[in-house]
């Protein structure tokens, strides 16, 4: 009898244990099912910013500049692999998550983007001195290659970039005091400027006349080299005066250079808040700009570039704006205020315009490059004529033979219809005065400092 009771007790204990185990598994399965249901829930759609609304001058004026995109880092890889998440059994079994491809890899990002250049394939090159690398962006796929310090070359502090007709990349280094040359495959080929350059910054190539121009901020000079032999040909400006010269043809901390189709040289004389112009022999022609925050003024002019119509674009790091001038220095248009939105800037440093009329502006504090599309004069003229024909057709339908009074009323009709028919060549539509006032109100007190 006693043996029977012990047997029953053992059976009941086993049954209780079995029930407990089953309960645990059911609870775990239920929790897993809930997690799967939660994971299966569709992610809310993320609304994307419509970049097409960012254009200058603003409508109804004819657009001359259109924001396209920006670049700031290596492309974010898609981490959705379809793998199940590792559970507690995987962790107990010692399965490591180090090889889990769903964990995003570390990405290189722009920190202080400065000089830029575009090669024959349309790839954008950006020098970043703090990262110690040249970023190479495919502007279509957003894939990124890099020329890195310690791996592909030895960099000190890189600033200016230029690319010649053979897709060779020239990189100025202010700490190493020279210019590095990379071939089209981004292999270090040679260097020049040692013993001559002190703090090279902006660089430009005159492919037709075979000159290389380099702005040296420490020497207060622009040095001219032969584009084939890399031998020093001449110097522009007076050195050794501790950045105090203001005389025409001299500089105080020149930072960047650009060359037009006639071979004329444009130099941003940064500490003198002006742009100086020289001919191909280095003879001074003219200067424009002065210190201030009004239309056509400069507070810290840095980058300079020339578009396909010969307009001179100047980036101002302190005023956070781009201004467009004729070669003679007449202001045509201004754009940009302090901020992080498209078309806003914080410490503009670099500027490049390629053969496809794309404008690239490097913005140091957000660590990005903004890309715009420039609408050339010919395209703007076509749009102007199209609008004019449309207005003329509307006016003709209204009255076949208008009186003098009716003609006066019709003459303002385009304005009432929201159509400003100003000549497109003038980049009209944005008042230089109102633009300057907006810049004065929006510019930060001393947010942008010279990286030199």
């Amino acid at each position: 009898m006693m043996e029977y009771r012990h047997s029953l007790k053992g059976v009941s204990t086993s049954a209780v244990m079995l029930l407990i185990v089953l309960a645990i598994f059911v609870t775990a399965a239920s929790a897993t099912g809930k997690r799967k249901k939660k994971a299966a829930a569709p992610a809310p759609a993320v609304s994307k910013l419509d970049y097409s609304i960012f254009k200058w001058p603003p409508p109804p004026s004819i657009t001359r500049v259109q924001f396209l995109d920006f670049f700031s880092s290596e492309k974010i890889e898609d981490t959705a692999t379809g793998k199940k998440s590792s559970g507690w059994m995987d962790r107990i079994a010692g399965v490591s998550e180090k090889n889990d491809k769903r964990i995003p890899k570390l990405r290189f990002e722009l920190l202080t983007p400065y000089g830029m250049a575009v090669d024959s394939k349309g790839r954008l090159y950006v020098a970043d001195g703090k990262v110690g690398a040249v970023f190479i962006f495919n502007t279509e796929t957003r894939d990124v290659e890099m020329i890195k310090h310690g791996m592909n070359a030895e960099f000190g502090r890189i600033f200016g970039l230029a690319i010649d007709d053979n897709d060779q990349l020239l990189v100025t280094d202010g700490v190493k005091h020279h210019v590095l040359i990379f071939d089209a495959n981004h292999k270090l080929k040679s260097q020049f400027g040692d013993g001559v350059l002190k703090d090279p910054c902006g660089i430009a190539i005159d492919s037709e006349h075979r000159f290389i121009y380099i702005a040296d901020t420490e020497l207060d000079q622009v040095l001219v080299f032969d584009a084939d032999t890399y031998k020093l040909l001449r110097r522009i400006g007076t050195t050794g005066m501790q950045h105090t010269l203001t005389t025409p043809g001299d500089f105080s901390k020149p930072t960047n250079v650009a060359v037009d189709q006639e071979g004329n040289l444009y130099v941003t004389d940064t500490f003198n808040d002006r742009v100086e112009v020289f001919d191909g022999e280095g003879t001074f022609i003219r200067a424009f700009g002065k210190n201030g925050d009004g239309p056509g003024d400069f507070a810290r002019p840095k980058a300079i570039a020339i578009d396909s119509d010969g307009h001179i674009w100047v980036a101002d790091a302190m005023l956070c704006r781009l201004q467009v001038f004729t070669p003679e220095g007449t202001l045509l248009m201004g754009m940009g205020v302090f901020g992080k939105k498209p078309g806003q800037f914080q410490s503009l440093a670099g500027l490049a315009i390629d053969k496809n009329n794309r404008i690239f502006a490097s913005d140091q504090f957000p660590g990005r490059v903004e890309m715009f599309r420039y609408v050339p004069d010919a395209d703007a003229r076509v749009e102007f004529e199209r609008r004019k024909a449309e207005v003329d057709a509307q006016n003709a339908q209204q009255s076949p033979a208008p009186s003098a009074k009716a003609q006066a009323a019709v003459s303002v009709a385009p304005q009432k219809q929201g159509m400003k028919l100003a000549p497109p060549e003038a980049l009209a539509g944005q008042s230089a005065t109102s633009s300057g006032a907006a810049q004065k109100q929006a510019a930060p007190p001393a947010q942008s400092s010279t990286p030199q």
Side-chain angles (χ1 to χ4, degrees):
M1 198 63 186
M2 290 292 294
E3 292 178 359
Y4 178 72
R5 284 198 295 269
H6 283 297
S7 176
L8 288 176
K9 186 177 180 180
V11 171
S12 62
T13 302
S14 300
V16 171
M17 292 296 294
L18 180 60
L19 288 174
I20 291 173
V21 172
L22 287 174
I24 291 174
F25 274 101
V26 169
T27 303
S30 176
T32 303
K34 289 180 180 179
R35 286 198 300 269
K36 287 183 178 180
K37 287 181 180 179
K38 288 182 180 179
V46 179
S47 59
K48 294 185 177 180
L49 183 63
D50 182 11
Y51 289 155
S52 65
I53 65 175
F54 297 100
K55 54 186 67 176
W56 298 266
S61 300
I62 296 173
T63 298
R64 301 307 307 269
V65 181
Q66 169 74 56
F67 180 82
L68 297 179
D69 206 346
F70 73 95
F71 307 94
S72 62
S73 67
E74 289 185 289
K75 185 168 61 175
I76 300 176
E77 299 292 343
D78 185 6
T79 59
T81 60
K83 284 182 61 178
K84 295 181 180 180
S85 59
S86 58
W88 63 272
M89 294 184 68
D90 293 327
R91 291 193 291 271
I92 291 175
V95 176
S96 172
E97 292 189 356
K98 292 182 179 179
N99 296 324
D100 191 342
K101 295 182 180 180
R102 291 172 295 114
I103 301 176
K105 69 173 184 177
L106 295 177
R107 295 177 295 120
F108 280 92
E109 298 181 348
L110 293 173
L111 295 179
T112 56
Y114 201 95
M116 295 174 293
V118 182
D119 67 12
S120 62
K121 298 178 181 178
R123 295 178 297 185
L124 171 66
Y125 294 65
V126 184
D128 194 308
K130 186 170 287 187
V131 176
V134 176
F135 288 70
I136 307 171
F137 292 93
N138 184 315
T139 57
E140 300 296 330
T141 65
R142 304 188 69 87
D143 290 329
V144 178
E145 301 175 60
M146 296 180 71
I147 302 175
K148 300 178 182 178
H149 165 69
M151 295 183 63
N152 309 105
E154 293 294 325
F155 295 140
R157 187 79 168 179
I158 56 176
F159 290 108
L161 299 182
I163 293 180
D164 66 13
D165 293 336
N166 297 318
D167 273 351
Q168 292 189 130
L169 174 67
L170 281 67
V171 183
T172 65
D173 194 317
V175 172
K176 300 287 188 179
H177 319 299
H178 59 210
V179 178
L180 297 177
I181 304 173
F182 296 85
D183 64 21
N185 297 316
H186 309 146
K187 303 297 183 183
L188 183 60
K189 179 180 177 181
S190 61
Q191 65 188 52
F192 69 93
D194 295 277
V196 177
L197 298 168
K198 292 293 185 181
D199 193 3
C201 191
I203 181 172
I205 302 175
D206 183 346
S207 298
E208 182 176 350
H209 301 96
R210 309 307 299 163
F211 295 142
I212 298 175
Y213 294 96
I214 300 175
D216 194 305
T217 60
E218 183 61 30
L219 293 176
D220 288 334
Q221 291 180 319
V222 173
L223 284 74
V224 187
F225 292 84
D226 187 287
D228 299 307
T229 64
Y230 307 115
K231 300 296 183 182
L232 178 65
L233 299 177
R234 58 181 172 271
R235 301 169 183 259
I236 303 174
T238 305
T239 190
M241 301 303 292
Q242 302 300 315
H243 322 301
T244 60
L245 294 180
T246 61
T247 50
D250 289 318
F251 309 105
S252 178
K253 291 274 188 180
T255 52
N256 283 282
V257 288
V259 182
D260 67 13
Q261 294 180 353
E262 285 72 37
N264 295 317
L265 173 69
Y266 296 77
V267 185
T268 48
D269 188 9
T270 301
F271 275 23
N272 283 327
D273 298 309
R274 65 187 180 185
V275 173
E276 295 197 79
V277 188
F278 302 82
D279 65 18
E281 298 298 322
T283 303
F284 175 79
I285 299 176
R286 73 179 74 90
F288 60 88
K290 62 180 178 59
N291 178 262
D293 55 8
D297 293 343
F298 301 118
R300 193 65 85 233
K302 285 287 189 64
I304 188 166
I306 303 174
D307 65 31
S308 58
D309 291 319
H311 302 131
I312 314 303
W313 295 67
V314 183
D316 196 303
M318 188 69 75
L319 297 179
C320 305
R321 69 183 179 189
L322 293 172
Q323 295 189 99
V324 189
F325 300 85
T326 66
E328 293 72 32
T330 301
L331 178 64
L332 299 176
M333 190 184 82
M335 58 175 284
V337 294
F338 178 80
K340 295 183 178 179
K341 294 180 180 179
Q344 298 179 349
F345 308 104
Q346 294 185 47
S347 189
L348 271 167
L351 194 61
I353 303 177
D354 70 2
K355 61 183 180 181
N356 295 317
N357 292 314
R358 296 184 302 174
I359 304 168
F360 299 94
S362 61
D363 209 5
Q364 290 208 317
F365 286 165
R368 67 178 178 180
V369 172
E370 297 188 62
M371 179 173 67
F372 304 87
R373 173 78 67 192
Y374 166 66
V375 179
D377 288 345
D379 293 348
R381 172 58 63 180
V382 170
E383 175 62 15
F384 173 81
E385 296 296 341
R386 185 194 68 79
R387 292 189 184 190
K388 184 176 183 298
E390 181 180 302
V391 172
D392 290 344
Q394 292 176 357
N395 294 339
Q397 291 178 358
Q398 292 176 3
S399 176
S403 62
K405 183 177 181 180
Q407 287 181 345
V410 168
S411 65
V412 297
Q415 302 293 341
K416 291 183 179 180
Q417 297 167 5
M419 301 180 69
K420 295 183 179 181
L421 298 181
E425 288 81 357
L427 294 174
Q430 180 173 348
S431 169
T433 304
S434 62
S435 174
Q439 299 290 351
K440 181 176 181 180
Q441 183 177 4
Q447 184 80 8
S448 305
S449 59
T450 306
Q452 289 294 325

